[in-house]
Each structure stands twice: as structure tokens, then as C-alpha cells.
Amino acid sequence: MADINPTNNNLVIGEGVTFKGSIAAPGKAVINGNVTGELTADDLLIGTKGQVTGTVRAREIDVHGELNEDIVCKEHLLIHSTGKVSGTLEYHELEIQRGGKFKGNMNQK
């Protein structure tokens, strides 16, 4: 059995996993599956097969897959070449690699 480390506040949603509801991850959230609902994390990484739809709040967001609806990024949002972001975006810093896509409204804070 794996050791349970109380200082490890990370969350992983694996490929093929579907989650509907609210998630609050005090550490890093890695999404390789499908999440619909509300997601709050310190750092958010959406893998190439990951898809998040709903209200998202994070300090840093790294998008390789899809991120949709209402997004609040307190520091840095990076959309990689395979990433797609759509909806309403509030951000501090935004970086979009060649091939990355954004569609919607954005507001820099």
C-alpha cells in the first residue's frame, strides 16, 4: 500500500475518468480526464486529453487540453500549442504558444 503523505495536497484525475461536481485542491490538480463543475486549485495542469468545463479558479494554469466557461487565473495562464481555452477569462499574465487557441472574452487584472 502506498504511503499517505499529509503534506501532499495534489489531485490527479486520470484519463478516461469523468467527474461532475466541485473540487477544491489546495496543491496541484492534474486533469487528464473530464471534469464538469467547479474547480479550485493552487496550480492546475490540464493534460492533452483533459477537458474542464465550468468555473475554474487557480493561481497558475497550464493548458494542453481544453478549458471552457468561466476562468480566473491569479498569476500565469499558459496555453500550449495543443491547448484550447474558451469562455470568460480573467488573468494576470497570459501566454499562448503557436497553435494554442483562445475564444471568448478576456480581462487582464
Side-chain angles (χ1 to χ4, degrees):
M1 181 151 201
D3 289 336
I4 298 173
N5 183 354
T7 61
N8 186 358
N9 297 321
N10 298 334
L11 168 77
V12 176
I13 301 287
E15 190 176 327
V17 175
T18 298
F19 179 88
K20 293 182 182 183
S22 296
I23 297 173
K28 185 172 190 168
V30 179
I31 311 298
N32 292 309
N34 190 315
V35 173
T36 303
E38 188 172 328
L39 193 156
T40 303
D42 185 46
D43 292 328
L44 174 60
L45 170 64
I46 302 172
T48 54
K49 298 198 177 183
Q51 182 174 354
V52 177
T53 302
T55 301
V56 174
R57 287 180 177 79
R59 183 179 57 83
E60 290 196 5
I61 303 174
D62 214 356
V63 183
H64 293 270
E66 288 188 40
L67 178 57
N68 305 297
E69 281 189 28
D70 297 322
I71 304 127
V72 176
C73 183
K74 295 176 185 168
E75 288 185 16
H76 184 251
L77 172 69
L78 172 57
I79 303 172
H80 289 267
S81 61
T82 57
K84 297 176 188 173
V85 176
S86 67
T88 303
L89 171 63
E90 184 177 303
Y91 67 97
H92 182 70
E93 292 179 351
L94 175 64
E95 183 177 350
I96 304 174
Q97 291 183 345
R98 177 181 235 150
K101 295 177 175 58
F102 176 82
K103 181 179 180 180
N105 298 313
M106 60 173 74
N107 184 20
Q108 186 174 22
K109 290 289 181 176

XYZ file of all heavy atoms in Angstrom:
813
model
N 0.840 -1.175 0.000
C 0.000 0.000 0.000
C 0.892 1.247 0.000
O 1.910 1.290 0.677
C -0.911 -0.022 1.210
C -1.836 1.135 1.298
S -3.320 0.606 2.154
C -4.397 1.851 1.593
N 0.490 2.270 -0.741
C 1.274 3.496 -0.849
C 1.242 4.272 0.458
O 0.267 4.233 1.195
C 0.725 4.357 -1.980
N 2.320 5.002 0.722
C 2.365 5.853 1.904
C 1.439 7.044 1.702
O 1.370 7.626 0.616
C 3.792 6.375 2.132
C 4.734 5.279 2.597
O 4.246 4.283 3.169
O 5.950 5.420 2.365
N 0.735 7.414 2.745
C -0.123 8.593 2.697
C 0.641 9.738 3.332
O 0.981 9.690 4.504
C -1.460 8.333 3.417
C -2.216 7.215 2.712
C -2.289 9.593 3.472
C -3.457 6.780 3.440
N 0.904 10.762 2.527
C 1.678 11.906 2.978
C 0.736 13.099 3.148
O 0.235 13.626 2.157
C 2.781 12.222 1.956
C 3.664 13.366 2.400
O 3.408 14.017 3.409
N 4.704 13.627 1.642
N 0.457 13.554 4.364
C -0.496 14.641 4.575
C -0.054 15.974 3.976
O -0.867 16.856 3.789
C -0.625 14.741 6.091
C 0.592 14.095 6.631
C 1.037 13.085 5.604
N 1.238 16.147 3.654
C 1.694 17.395 3.055
C 1.552 17.375 1.536
O 1.779 18.363 0.873
C 3.167 17.678 3.425
O 3.973 16.617 2.928
C 3.336 17.838 4.910
N 1.169 16.236 0.982
C 0.985 16.103 -0.460
C -0.482 16.373 -0.787
O -1.310 15.496 -0.668
C 1.407 14.692 -0.892
C 1.391 14.523 -2.390
O 1.025 15.433 -3.121
N 1.776 13.361 -2.848
N -0.799 17.608 -1.160
C -2.182 18.017 -1.393
C -2.531 18.050 -2.872
O -3.262 18.911 -3.322
C -2.418 19.400 -0.774
C -2.238 19.380 0.716
O -2.637 18.433 1.378
N -1.633 20.413 1.247
N -2.002 17.114 -3.640
C -2.224 17.085 -5.074
C -3.384 16.174 -5.439
O -3.705 15.236 -4.724
C -0.957 16.628 -5.798
C 0.203 17.573 -5.566
O 0.017 18.747 -5.299
N 1.408 17.064 -5.653
N -3.988 16.458 -6.588
C -5.114 15.686 -7.087
C -4.829 15.305 -8.535
O -4.358 16.138 -9.312
C -6.397 16.537 -7.046
C -7.592 15.978 -7.803
C -8.223 14.851 -6.988
C -8.599 17.056 -8.087
N -5.117 14.056 -8.903
C -4.965 13.614 -10.286
C -6.272 12.975 -10.722
O -6.778 12.071 -10.058
C -3.806 12.598 -10.437
C -3.736 12.084 -11.871
C -2.485 13.221 -10.027
N -6.822 13.464 -11.836
C -7.980 12.846 -12.482
C -7.419 12.172 -13.728
O -6.947 12.837 -14.648
C -9.050 13.886 -12.881
C -9.555 14.665 -11.660
C -10.196 13.221 -13.633
C -10.451 13.910 -10.731
N -7.437 10.851 -13.741
C -6.811 10.090 -14.812
C -7.593 10.072 -16.109
O -8.783 10.392 -16.154
N -6.903 9.667 -17.160
C -7.502 9.544 -18.482
C -8.670 8.551 -18.422
O -8.569 7.486 -17.815
C -6.441 9.047 -19.467
C -6.869 9.104 -20.905
C -5.749 8.703 -21.853
O -4.568 8.979 -21.549
O -6.067 8.110 -22.901
N -9.794 8.931 -19.018
C -10.974 8.074 -19.014
C -11.894 8.301 -17.831
O -13.011 7.810 -17.799
N -11.446 9.066 -16.825
C -12.255 9.344 -15.640
C -13.132 10.566 -15.900
O -12.667 11.571 -16.436
C -11.365 9.599 -14.400
C -12.205 10.005 -13.203
C -10.529 8.375 -14.090
N -14.411 10.483 -15.519
C -15.341 11.607 -15.633
C -15.774 12.005 -14.232
O -16.169 11.156 -13.440
C -16.574 11.216 -16.461
O -16.140 10.874 -17.781
C -17.565 12.352 -16.551
N -15.684 13.305 -13.932
C -16.072 13.815 -12.623
C -17.004 14.991 -12.818
O -16.710 15.900 -13.594
C -14.841 14.256 -11.824
C -15.191 14.821 -10.472
C -15.318 13.976 -9.380
C -15.424 16.173 -10.311
C -15.663 14.492 -8.141
C -15.773 16.693 -9.079
C -15.901 15.853 -7.985
N -18.140 14.981 -12.091
C -19.081 16.109 -12.102
C -19.271 16.556 -10.668
O -19.585 15.738 -9.803
C -20.414 15.699 -12.712
C -20.314 15.383 -14.183
C -21.651 15.034 -14.782
C -21.453 14.690 -16.262
N -22.688 14.403 -16.931
N -19.064 17.854 -10.415
C -19.216 18.380 -9.063
C -18.196 19.452 -8.777
O -17.716 20.122 -9.682
N -17.852 19.612 -7.493
C -16.913 20.642 -7.063
C -15.635 20.009 -6.527
O -15.695 19.034 -5.779
C -17.540 21.496 -5.963
O -18.657 22.186 -6.463
N -14.512 20.595 -6.922
C -13.205 20.140 -6.455
C -12.470 21.338 -5.874
O -12.420 22.399 -6.493
C -12.358 19.558 -7.609
C -13.013 18.323 -8.206
C -10.948 19.246 -7.133
C -12.307 17.800 -9.452
N -11.896 21.146 -4.682
C -11.012 22.144 -4.083
C -9.706 21.420 -3.749
O -9.672 20.588 -2.856
C -11.628 22.740 -2.831
N -8.666 21.723 -4.518
C -7.359 21.087 -4.324
C -6.378 22.163 -3.858
O -6.054 23.068 -4.616
C -6.876 20.456 -5.622
N -5.906 22.074 -2.604
C -5.001 23.105 -2.100
C -3.626 23.089 -2.770
O -2.914 24.075 -2.726
C -4.882 22.791 -0.602
C -5.284 21.373 -0.470
C -6.209 21.057 -1.610
N -3.280 21.993 -3.415
C -1.998 21.892 -4.116
C -2.215 21.950 -5.618
O -2.927 22.804 -6.127
N -1.624 20.995 -6.306
C -1.706 20.929 -7.766
C -2.799 19.953 -8.186
O -2.924 18.877 -7.615
C -0.362 20.467 -8.331
C -0.305 20.485 -9.839
C 1.097 20.214 -10.320
C 1.194 20.463 -11.810
N 2.584 20.483 -12.257
N -3.581 20.342 -9.183
C -4.588 19.460 -9.772
C -4.147 19.137 -11.194
O -3.876 20.042 -11.989
C -5.964 20.118 -9.780
N -4.057 17.844 -11.504
C -3.682 17.386 -12.836
C -4.898 16.688 -13.418
O -5.375 15.700 -12.870
C -2.477 16.417 -12.782
C -2.121 15.930 -14.172
C -1.281 17.085 -12.118
N -5.397 17.217 -14.531
C -6.619 16.691 -15.138
C -6.282 16.071 -16.493
O -5.903 16.762 -17.425
C -7.683 17.796 -15.328
C -7.879 18.607 -14.043
C -8.987 17.203 -15.849
C -8.377 17.836 -12.856
N -6.432 14.744 -16.567
C -6.257 14.027 -17.830
C -7.572 13.430 -18.299
O -7.638 12.857 -19.374
C -5.210 12.917 -17.671
C -3.827 13.499 -17.444
O -3.382 14.349 -18.197
N -3.165 13.062 -16.391
N -8.610 13.571 -17.488
C -9.939 13.066 -17.821
C -10.870 14.232 -18.099
O -10.458 15.276 -18.602
N -12.144 14.071 -17.709
C -13.176 15.057 -17.992
C -13.773 15.545 -16.674
O -14.307 14.749 -15.909
C -14.245 14.404 -18.876
C -15.221 15.406 -19.418
O -15.697 16.267 -18.695
N -15.529 15.282 -20.694
N -13.707 16.853 -16.423
C -14.259 17.449 -15.215
C -15.296 18.496 -15.617
O -15.014 19.367 -16.438
C -13.159 18.100 -14.349
C -13.763 18.871 -13.179
C -12.182 17.054 -13.843
N -16.488 18.391 -15.017
C -17.544 19.371 -15.241
C -17.990 19.884 -13.885
O -18.335 19.091 -13.008
C -18.748 18.745 -15.970
O -18.288 18.185 -17.206
C -19.822 19.773 -16.252
N -17.960 21.202 -13.696
C -18.384 21.780 -12.426
C -17.472 22.897 -11.991
O -17.006 23.684 -12.805
N -17.197 22.922 -10.697
C -16.360 23.980 -10.124
C -15.035 23.381 -9.668
O -15.014 22.361 -8.982
C -17.080 24.604 -8.934
C -16.409 25.823 -8.398
C -17.242 26.523 -7.339
O -18.483 26.482 -7.419
O -16.629 27.099 -6.422
N -13.930 24.015 -10.078
C -12.606 23.507 -9.733
C -11.759 24.659 -9.208
O -11.599 25.665 -9.895
C -11.949 22.877 -10.960
C -10.700 22.041 -10.712
C -10.512 21.044 -11.839
C -9.463 22.869 -10.560
N -11.240 24.496 -7.997
C -10.346 25.475 -7.397
C -9.061 24.756 -7.021
O -9.110 23.691 -6.392
C -10.984 26.103 -6.134
O -12.228 26.692 -6.502
C -10.079 27.162 -5.543
N -7.928 25.311 -7.431
C -6.627 24.706 -7.127
C -5.570 25.793 -7.087
O -5.772 26.887 -7.615
C -6.263 23.664 -8.180
N -4.437 25.477 -6.473
C -3.319 26.405 -6.495
C -2.728 26.399 -7.909
O -2.661 27.426 -8.563
C -2.271 26.007 -5.458
C -1.142 27.022 -5.380
O -1.438 28.234 -5.330
O 0.030 26.609 -5.375
N -2.317 25.223 -8.364
C -1.809 25.041 -9.723
C -2.716 24.053 -10.438
O -3.060 23.016 -9.872
C -0.384 24.474 -9.719
C 0.635 25.459 -9.186
O 0.435 26.673 -9.374
O 1.628 25.015 -8.594
N -3.046 24.345 -11.685
C -3.891 23.468 -12.483
C -3.160 23.107 -13.766
O -2.698 23.984 -14.490
C -5.216 24.151 -12.824
C -6.155 23.425 -13.775
C -6.572 22.068 -13.223
C -7.380 24.275 -14.076
N -3.037 21.810 -14.023
C -2.449 21.307 -15.263
C -3.500 20.465 -15.955
O -4.001 19.495 -15.383
C -1.209 20.458 -14.979
C -0.648 19.678 -16.177
C -0.162 20.623 -17.267
C 0.471 18.756 -15.740
N -3.850 20.851 -17.171
C -4.797 20.079 -17.975
C -3.994 19.382 -19.059
O -3.378 20.041 -19.904
C -5.889 20.982 -18.580
C -6.634 21.706 -17.451
C -6.840 20.164 -19.430
C -7.604 22.758 -17.927
N -3.964 18.044 -19.006
C -3.212 17.246 -19.969
C -3.838 17.292 -21.352
O -4.950 17.794 -21.542
N -3.155 16.741 -22.347
C -3.625 16.804 -23.740
C -4.993 16.161 -23.924
O -5.749 16.567 -24.789
C -2.617 16.147 -24.705
O -2.343 14.828 -24.261
C -1.333 16.939 -24.782
N -5.330 15.155 -23.123
C -6.643 14.509 -23.235
C -7.608 15.019 -22.177
O -8.735 14.558 -22.084
C -6.491 13.001 -23.146
C -5.652 12.468 -24.288
C -5.829 11.013 -24.501
C -4.983 10.617 -25.716
N -5.119 9.253 -26.059
N -7.183 15.995 -21.377
C -8.018 16.553 -20.321
C -8.988 17.590 -20.845
O -8.703 18.314 -21.794
N -10.161 17.643 -20.192
C -11.170 18.633 -20.542
C -11.855 19.091 -19.260
O -12.346 18.279 -18.482
C -12.197 18.047 -21.499
C -13.230 19.059 -21.936
C -14.163 18.503 -22.998
O -13.977 17.406 -23.491
N -15.172 19.269 -23.341
N -11.871 20.417 -19.048
C -12.513 21.005 -17.880
C -13.538 22.020 -18.357
O -13.225 22.900 -19.154
C -11.479 21.690 -16.952
C -12.173 22.351 -15.777
C -10.442 20.688 -16.464
N -14.776 21.869 -17.862
C -15.855 22.785 -18.219
C -16.532 23.238 -16.937
O -16.965 22.401 -16.141
C -16.879 22.097 -19.136
O -16.207 21.629 -20.306
C -17.984 23.059 -19.550
N -16.599 24.539 -16.729
C -17.241 25.078 -15.532
C -16.529 26.311 -15.036
O -15.891 27.031 -15.795
N -16.620 26.531 -13.732
C -15.977 27.675 -13.095
C -14.637 27.217 -12.521
O -14.595 26.312 -11.696
C -16.874 28.232 -11.973
O -18.127 28.609 -12.545
C -16.241 29.435 -11.306
N -13.568 27.853 -12.988
C -12.213 27.450 -12.586
C -11.497 28.643 -11.974
O -11.502 29.733 -12.543
C -11.424 26.920 -13.804
C -9.978 26.647 -13.438
C -12.086 25.684 -14.370
N -10.869 28.386 -10.811
C -10.056 29.401 -10.149
C -8.738 28.750 -9.761
O -8.734 27.711 -9.102
C -10.758 29.915 -8.893
C -11.937 30.799 -9.179
C -12.594 31.287 -7.883
N -13.679 32.202 -8.156
C -14.888 31.836 -8.537
N -15.174 30.578 -8.679
N -15.820 32.735 -8.775
N -7.635 29.387 -10.166
C -6.310 28.861 -9.823
C -5.288 29.981 -9.877
O -5.493 30.993 -10.554
C -5.913 27.743 -10.776
N -4.186 29.752 -9.186
C -3.080 30.722 -9.210
C -2.358 30.624 -10.552
O -2.104 31.623 -11.208
C -2.120 30.441 -8.053
C -0.974 31.425 -7.945
C -0.068 31.104 -6.762
N 0.456 29.749 -6.823
C 1.522 29.385 -7.540
N 2.184 30.260 -8.245
N 1.933 28.125 -7.546
N -2.027 29.393 -10.955
C -1.374 29.158 -12.242
C -2.131 28.071 -12.987
O -2.565 27.088 -12.384
C 0.080 28.736 -12.047
C 0.943 29.859 -11.534
C 2.426 29.585 -11.687
O 2.804 28.554 -12.272
O 3.198 30.434 -11.226
N -2.265 28.255 -14.303
C -2.974 27.283 -15.139
C -2.120 26.974 -16.361
O -1.631 27.877 -17.036
C -4.356 27.804 -15.579
C -5.219 28.169 -14.358
C -5.067 26.771 -16.450
C -6.552 28.817 -14.696
N -1.968 25.685 -16.629
C -1.178 25.169 -17.747
C -2.118 24.298 -18.590
O -2.569 23.262 -18.114
C -0.054 24.318 -17.147
C 1.231 24.367 -17.912
O 1.274 24.999 -18.962
O 2.194 23.731 -17.441
N -2.430 24.719 -19.824
C -3.439 24.029 -20.625
C -2.825 23.347 -21.842
O -2.310 24.016 -22.742
C -4.559 24.997 -21.091
C -5.635 24.258 -21.858
C -5.153 25.754 -19.920
N -2.890 22.012 -21.854
C -2.506 21.223 -23.026
C -3.767 20.708 -23.718
O -3.735 20.399 -24.899
C -1.649 20.019 -22.614
C -0.309 20.389 -22.078
N 0.805 20.520 -22.867
C 0.107 20.662 -20.816
C 1.849 20.844 -22.114
N 1.448 20.942 -20.867
N -4.866 20.591 -22.973
C -6.137 20.065 -23.479
C -7.144 21.191 -23.647
O -6.855 22.189 -24.292
N -8.347 21.030 -23.022
C -9.417 22.021 -23.178
C -9.875 22.572 -21.836
O -10.030 21.831 -20.871
C -10.625 21.385 -23.869
C -10.410 21.100 -25.329
C -11.678 20.648 -26.016
O -12.757 21.204 -25.721
O -11.595 19.724 -26.836
N -10.131 23.881 -21.823
C -10.639 24.583 -20.650
C -11.758 25.501 -21.124
O -11.546 26.330 -22.014
C -9.506 25.376 -19.988
C -9.835 26.227 -18.773
C -10.465 25.390 -17.667
C -8.583 26.920 -18.271
N -12.961 25.333 -20.548
C -14.139 26.059 -21.030
C -14.929 26.712 -19.898
O -14.975 26.189 -18.804
C -15.073 25.096 -21.764
C -14.381 24.347 -22.873
O -13.924 24.938 -23.833
N -14.255 23.041 -22.721
N -15.555 27.813 -20.192
C -16.506 28.596 -19.392
C -15.855 29.726 -18.636
O -15.221 30.567 -19.246
C -17.401 27.726 -18.507
C -18.520 27.117 -19.315
C -19.565 26.413 -18.463
O -19.773 26.786 -17.294
O -20.174 25.485 -18.992
N -15.974 29.791 -17.290
C -15.510 30.930 -16.501
C -14.185 30.602 -15.823
O -14.122 29.713 -14.975
C -16.553 31.297 -15.438
C -17.869 31.732 -16.059
O -17.826 32.425 -17.092
O -18.927 31.380 -15.514
N -13.141 31.353 -16.192
C -11.795 31.057 -15.726
C -11.209 32.285 -15.037
O -11.210 33.380 -15.609
C -10.882 30.651 -16.908
C -11.489 29.474 -17.660
C -9.483 30.334 -16.432
C -11.636 29.697 -19.133
N -10.698 32.088 -13.815
C -9.985 33.143 -13.103
C -8.601 32.599 -12.782
O -8.460 31.611 -12.071
C -10.713 33.557 -11.798
C -9.884 34.587 -11.043
C -12.102 34.098 -12.103
N -7.585 33.255 -13.354
C -6.196 32.852 -13.136
C -5.475 34.017 -12.456
O -5.304 35.076 -13.049
C -5.528 32.513 -14.466
S -3.847 31.930 -14.260
N -5.066 33.802 -11.213
C -4.496 34.881 -10.405
C -3.111 35.315 -10.852
O -2.726 36.454 -10.636
C -4.475 34.472 -8.937
C -5.859 34.288 -8.372
C -5.805 33.788 -6.957
C -7.208 33.495 -6.465
N -7.222 32.755 -5.222
N -2.336 34.393 -11.454
C -0.979 34.761 -11.861
C -0.735 34.508 -13.338
O -0.832 35.421 -14.136
C 0.063 34.044 -10.996
C 0.119 34.596 -9.585
C 1.214 33.993 -8.743
O 2.142 33.370 -9.298
O 1.139 34.134 -7.512
N -0.438 33.269 -13.728
C 0.026 32.981 -15.084
C -0.797 31.875 -15.732
O -0.942 30.804 -15.162
C 1.502 32.569 -15.023
C 2.118 32.348 -16.358
N 2.444 31.100 -16.814
C 2.459 33.209 -17.344
C 2.968 31.213 -18.020
N 2.993 32.478 -18.367
N -1.306 32.156 -16.921
C -2.026 31.158 -17.718
C -1.213 30.892 -18.977
O -0.862 31.822 -19.701
C -3.413 31.654 -18.110
C -4.184 30.781 -19.102
C -4.602 29.468 -18.448
C -5.408 31.495 -19.617
N -0.894 29.616 -19.201
C -0.143 29.210 -20.386
C -0.994 28.264 -21.209
O -1.408 27.217 -20.725
C 1.170 28.525 -19.974
C 1.997 27.873 -21.084
C 2.355 28.870 -22.180
C 3.248 27.240 -20.502
N -1.268 28.658 -22.449
C -1.987 27.798 -23.389
C -0.945 27.218 -24.334
O -0.335 27.947 -25.117
C -3.060 28.576 -24.172
C -4.049 29.259 -23.208
C -3.802 27.643 -25.130
C -5.031 30.197 -23.887
N -0.729 25.915 -24.234
C 0.262 25.244 -25.078
C -0.268 25.093 -26.506
O -1.435 25.363 -26.781
C 0.609 23.872 -24.478
C 1.400 23.982 -23.223
N 2.775 23.962 -23.199
C 1.017 24.148 -21.931
C 3.196 24.090 -21.964
N 2.150 24.212 -21.167
N 0.569 24.626 -27.410
C 0.209 24.506 -28.829
C -0.999 23.607 -29.050
O -1.739 23.783 -30.005
C 1.403 23.996 -29.642
O 1.797 22.717 -29.174
N -1.240 22.646 -28.159
C -2.395 21.742 -28.277
C -3.588 22.225 -27.457
O -4.649 21.614 -27.490
C -2.019 20.329 -27.779
O -1.560 20.433 -26.424
C -0.941 19.706 -28.642
N -3.418 23.325 -26.727
C -4.448 23.801 -25.806
C -5.531 24.630 -26.471
O -5.292 25.346 -27.441
N -6.748 24.508 -25.900
C -7.903 25.288 -26.354
C -8.613 25.835 -25.123
O -8.991 25.083 -24.230
C -8.876 24.410 -27.129
C -8.317 23.835 -28.399
C -9.323 22.896 -29.040
C -8.689 22.170 -30.208
N -9.560 21.149 -30.760
N -8.784 27.155 -25.083
C -9.486 27.805 -23.984
C -10.618 28.623 -24.576
O -10.419 29.360 -25.548
C -8.532 28.718 -23.171
C -9.294 29.470 -22.083
C -7.405 27.894 -22.551
N -11.824 28.479 -23.989
C -12.954 29.279 -24.458
C -13.799 29.700 -23.271
O -13.888 28.990 -22.272
C -13.797 28.500 -25.470
O -14.430 27.408 -24.846
N -14.382 30.883 -23.386
C -15.246 31.387 -22.324
C -14.811 32.764 -21.872
O -14.267 33.549 -22.633
N -15.044 33.040 -20.596
C -14.681 34.313 -19.990
C -13.432 34.101 -19.153
O -13.419 33.260 -18.263
C -15.840 34.829 -19.105
O -17.007 34.940 -19.911
C -15.506 36.167 -18.501
N -12.401 34.859 -19.457
C -11.108 34.685 -18.810
C -10.698 35.956 -18.090
O -10.679 37.029 -18.675
C -10.042 34.324 -19.852
C -8.583 34.305 -19.392
C -8.371 33.247 -18.319
C -7.659 34.076 -20.575
N -10.363 35.813 -16.807
C -9.760 36.888 -16.033
C -8.367 36.399 -15.652
O -8.225 35.305 -15.097
C -10.593 37.151 -14.778
C -10.098 38.315 -13.958
C -11.002 38.575 -12.761
O -12.205 38.786 -12.970
O -10.478 38.539 -11.629
N -7.339 37.181 -15.961
C -5.968 36.708 -15.783
C -5.042 37.854 -15.399
O -5.369 39.024 -15.583
C -5.459 36.048 -17.066
C -5.298 37.040 -18.195
C -4.060 37.598 -18.468
C -6.385 37.444 -18.967
C -3.902 38.528 -19.495
C -6.241 38.366 -19.973
C -5.003 38.908 -20.232
O -4.857 39.838 -21.224
N -3.859 37.500 -14.910
C -2.816 38.484 -14.630
C -1.804 38.480 -15.776
O -1.511 39.508 -16.357
C -2.146 38.179 -13.290
C -1.090 39.173 -12.920
N -1.384 40.466 -12.563
C 0.259 39.073 -12.871
C -0.260 41.112 -12.310
N 0.756 40.292 -12.490
N -1.261 37.286 -16.100
C -0.340 37.128 -17.230
C -0.873 36.022 -18.125
O -1.327 34.988 -17.639
C 1.060 36.733 -16.750
C 1.784 37.798 -15.989
C 3.162 37.335 -15.524
O 3.478 36.134 -15.654
O 3.920 38.179 -15.032
N -0.765 36.216 -19.431
C -1.259 35.244 -20.399
C -0.168 34.951 -21.417
O 0.480 35.865 -21.933
C -2.494 35.785 -21.126
C -3.075 34.941 -22.259
C -3.597 33.612 -21.727
C -4.186 35.705 -22.958
N 0.031 33.657 -21.697
C 0.999 33.228 -22.698
C 0.323 32.178 -23.575
O -0.239 31.209 -23.068
C 2.224 32.630 -22.008
C 3.331 32.221 -22.929
C 4.548 31.695 -22.157
O 4.614 31.815 -20.931
O 5.430 31.133 -22.837
N 0.368 32.393 -24.893
C -0.230 31.445 -25.832
C 0.849 31.013 -26.814
O 1.408 31.843 -27.538
C -1.421 32.051 -26.605
C -2.482 32.571 -25.630
C -2.020 31.021 -27.565
C -3.634 33.310 -26.298
N 1.152 29.715 -26.820
C 2.132 29.198 -27.763
C 1.509 29.114 -29.156
O 0.287 29.032 -29.307
C 2.607 27.808 -27.333
C 3.448 27.819 -26.089
C 3.968 26.443 -25.729
O 3.497 25.423 -26.225
N 4.945 26.408 -24.842
N 2.355 29.112 -30.168
C 1.903 28.989 -31.548
C 1.054 27.723 -31.673
O 1.467 26.653 -31.268
C 3.095 28.912 -32.484
C 2.704 28.713 -33.915
C 3.913 28.628 -34.806
N 3.731 29.630 -35.825
C 4.675 30.262 -36.436
N 5.925 30.034 -36.142
N 4.404 31.143 -37.373
N -0.156 27.874 -32.191
C -1.083 26.753 -32.333
C -2.121 26.698 -31.230
O -3.167 26.088 -31.375
N -1.841 27.322 -30.095
C -2.796 27.386 -28.991
C -3.975 28.260 -29.379
O -3.834 29.199 -30.162
N -5.161 27.954 -28.827
C -6.373 28.669 -29.238
C -7.108 29.277 -28.039
O -7.212 28.645 -27.001
C -7.313 27.715 -29.968
C -6.734 27.207 -31.283
C -7.680 26.205 -31.935
C -7.203 25.760 -33.290
N -5.919 25.151 -33.338
N -7.609 30.485 -28.236
C -8.476 31.126 -27.258
C -9.655 31.735 -27.998
O -9.483 32.402 -29.006
C -7.758 32.240 -26.472
C -8.698 32.950 -25.537
C -8.986 32.390 -24.302
C -9.337 34.106 -25.919
C -9.897 33.005 -23.460
C -10.243 34.732 -25.078
C -10.521 34.181 -23.837
N -10.861 31.525 -27.421
C -12.074 32.108 -27.985
C -12.937 32.582 -26.821
O -13.214 31.814 -25.912
C -12.840 31.076 -28.807
C -14.102 31.613 -29.440
C -14.790 30.548 -30.255
C -16.059 31.110 -30.881
N -16.757 30.107 -31.673
N -13.307 33.863 -26.846
C -14.157 34.395 -25.783
C -13.740 35.787 -25.394
O -13.184 36.541 -26.174
N -14.031 36.136 -24.136
C -13.719 37.449 -23.594
C -12.623 37.326 -22.562
O -12.639 36.392 -21.749
C -14.962 38.051 -22.929
C -16.094 38.256 -23.909
O -15.879 38.779 -24.998
N -17.280 37.814 -23.546
N -11.681 38.269 -22.594
C -10.625 38.250 -21.597
C -10.473 39.603 -20.946
O -10.723 40.630 -21.576
C -9.299 37.765 -22.200
C -8.758 38.580 -23.321
S -7.101 38.052 -23.831
C -7.430 36.556 -24.690
N -10.090 39.570 -19.667
C -9.931 40.779 -18.881
C -8.655 40.616 -18.045
O -8.583 39.732 -17.210
C -11.152 40.977 -17.992
C -11.081 42.270 -17.214
O -10.355 43.195 -17.555
N -11.854 42.335 -16.142
N -7.669 41.491 -18.291
C -6.422 41.425 -17.534
C -6.576 42.174 -16.230
O -7.087 43.295 -16.198
C -5.269 42.003 -18.336
C -3.940 41.816 -17.649
C -2.782 42.271 -18.514
O -2.931 43.067 -19.428
N -1.602 41.762 -18.214
N -6.158 41.547 -15.124
C -6.228 42.172 -13.787
C -4.844 42.535 -13.309
O -3.889 41.935 -13.608
C -6.869 41.214 -12.789
C -8.349 41.004 -13.056
C -9.105 42.224 -12.709
C -10.590 42.009 -12.941
N -11.399 43.084 -12.564
